[in-house]
Amino acid sequence: MGNDDHNLLGGLDSLGLGGLDSIDLFADNKVKVPQSHKKPEAPKKEEVKEEDLVFEKSYTCPACSKPFKSLTVRTGKVKAVSQDVDLRWKFKQLDPLKYDVVMCPNCGCAALIGEFPRITGKQAKLIKEKISASFKSQDPPHGKLSYDEALARYKVALANAVVRGVKASEKAFICLKAGWLLRGKAESLTPGTPGYDEEKKKTGAEEDAFLKNALEGFKNARGSESFPMCGMDEHSVDYLIAALSFRFGDYALAEKLISEILMSRVASDRLKEKARDLHEDIRAAR
Ligand SMILES: [Zn+2]
């Protein structure tokens, strides 16, 4: 599986998708790369109930044609409070990443919220054959999603993306968001509770596995796809690759991309500032 022996798509047996762990994520895209320097933060108290910040949006499934509802974050209700070095936003009231996958509870057709309406008829047929055939229908979620429920949805979306034969960038984006989701999960754990250390370690290893695949996918996409990519311009993608390369020890690539961003006439001042900060981090780590 990719460049890491971590079982990226494991743990889906209860959904009927227990055989996915041998999928090679980027096998049909061709084109590789150790650790977080972010300190864990204390869990925050929720001022507003998460259930009040999401609503049930209606969809019709492109694969099984049945209507279903998917929990969606109400726009304008959540405020970003900070951004990590790899561009993940942190929010005050809830983690919106939990709601970024739309999944049909009947047949397992799933994608990131922006991609779901773009599933083609040909892709729907492939999903029916390769996902729905073994997917065990679920009770639709109500109220809110736990981190583990959200993670399972990301894994199903990733399996769908492989089956649909999408571009490397789309798979990389799912991996990136799943990695960020796991960081949110790790931050939500309460130190001192039973099993905390073990769970934290396991969650961190899973985050690394997803982010390594995200890095591989974006490096792959950078040389073969056009921009904008997943809503990002070329310099933002380069910055993201630099941040992930630094995380996983490829300082040379990170520095090369950073210097290109700093010399660019079109990269935004905000991105250049982030690139300078990252450069400082790399120098301090060397
Ligand atoms: Zn369906």
Side-chain angles (χ1 to χ4, degrees):
M1 162 110 264
N3 51 25
D4 195 87
D5 56 7
H6 194 94
N7 186 359
L8 210 65
L9 292 178
L12 293 177
D13 306 70
S14 65
L15 297 176
L17 301 175
L20 292 173
D21 44 353
S22 59
I23 287 180
D24 185 352
L25 218 52
F26 298 108
D28 59 351
N29 302 106
K30 43 185 154 124
V31 181
K32 270 185 181 200
V33 198
Q35 74 220 28
S36 175
H37 59 294
K38 287 275 161 198
K39 290 223 169 67
E41 291 179 11
K44 296 177 222 84
K45 282 235 159 67
E46 278 177 330
E47 291 157 1
V48 189
K49 275 171 75 185
E50 186 161 336
E51 290 87 334
D52 297 334
L53 298 168
V54 298
F55 69 103
E56 294 186 346
K57 190 174 177 183
S58 297
Y59 290 89
T60 300
C61 178
C64 72
S65 307
K66 288 183 185 162
F68 70 94
K69 289 182 171 154
S70 188
L71 292 171
T72 308
V73 178
R74 292 182 192 278
T75 49
K77 290 278 184 186
V78 292
K79 286 195 188 78
V81 288
S82 63
Q83 196 178 30
D84 292 343
V85 67
D86 63 3
L87 304 178
R88 170 224 181 202
W89 284 105
K90 281 174 75 167
F91 293 80
K92 204 173 173 187
Q93 301 92 336
L94 86 169
D95 190 344
L97 284 167
K98 289 203 277 183
Y99 302 95
D100 264 3
V101 170
V102 176
M103 183 178 88
C104 170
N106 306 302
C107 76
C109 176
L112 288 178
I113 199 162
E115 296 298 327
F116 195 82
R118 298 186 199 165
I119 295 171
T120 65
K122 193 177 161 194
Q123 291 172 341
K125 193 167 170 278
L126 290 167
I127 293 167
K128 271 200 257 189
E129 289 166 13
K130 305 228 169 100
I131 301 279
S132 311
S134 48
F135 183 80
K136 291 180 192 158
S137 63
Q138 309 289 302
D139 289 330
H142 291 291
K144 64 173 184 176
L145 292 175
S146 68
Y147 271 109
D148 288 344
E149 286 170 332
L151 182 62
R153 298 165 71 87
Y154 273 90
K155 290 179 179 182
V156 176
L158 189 54
N160 269 257
V162 173
V163 164
R164 286 164 56 212
V166 302
K167 291 188 280 193
S169 60
E170 189 177 334
K171 286 178 276 190
F173 204 34
I174 297 171
C175 290
L176 178 70
K177 289 191 162 197
W180 288 347
L181 179 86
L182 284 151
R183 194 180 308 160
K185 180 186 172 182
E187 289 166 359
S188 76
L189 300 172
T190 311
T193 51
Y196 170 80
D197 291 338
E198 199 182 323
E199 185 67 17
K200 180 107 179 157
K201 201 175 157 200
K202 180 175 157 265
T203 307
E206 257 190 304
E207 177 188 338
D208 275 349
F210 276 106
L211 293 183
K212 278 179 188 172
N213 276 280
L215 174 58
E216 183 183 349
F218 278 120
K219 279 161 74 177
N220 186 330
R222 184 177 182 269
S224 59
E225 298 178 26
S226 54
F227 294 92
M229 190 183 286
C230 309
M232 293 180 280
D233 65 19
E234 186 170 355
H235 292 303
S236 300
V237 172
D238 281 356
Y239 172 82
L240 179 63
I241 292 173
L244 293 174
S245 295
F246 168 54
R247 176 178 175 131
F248 295 115
D250 189 351
Y251 295 178
L253 177 59
E255 289 194 317
K256 176 178 174 285
L257 292 170
I258 286 168
S259 62
E260 283 173 16
I261 293 166
L262 293 177
M263 284 189 299
S264 161
R265 290 181 180 191
V266 292
S268 69
D269 290 343
R270 201 185 139 265
L271 191 69
K272 287 187 178 185
E273 198 178 312
K274 292 189 81 69
R276 268 182 226 111
D277 289 347
L278 179 58
H279 199 206
E280 287 297 314
D281 288 350
I282 296 170
R283 263 195 287 201
R286 270 194 189 279

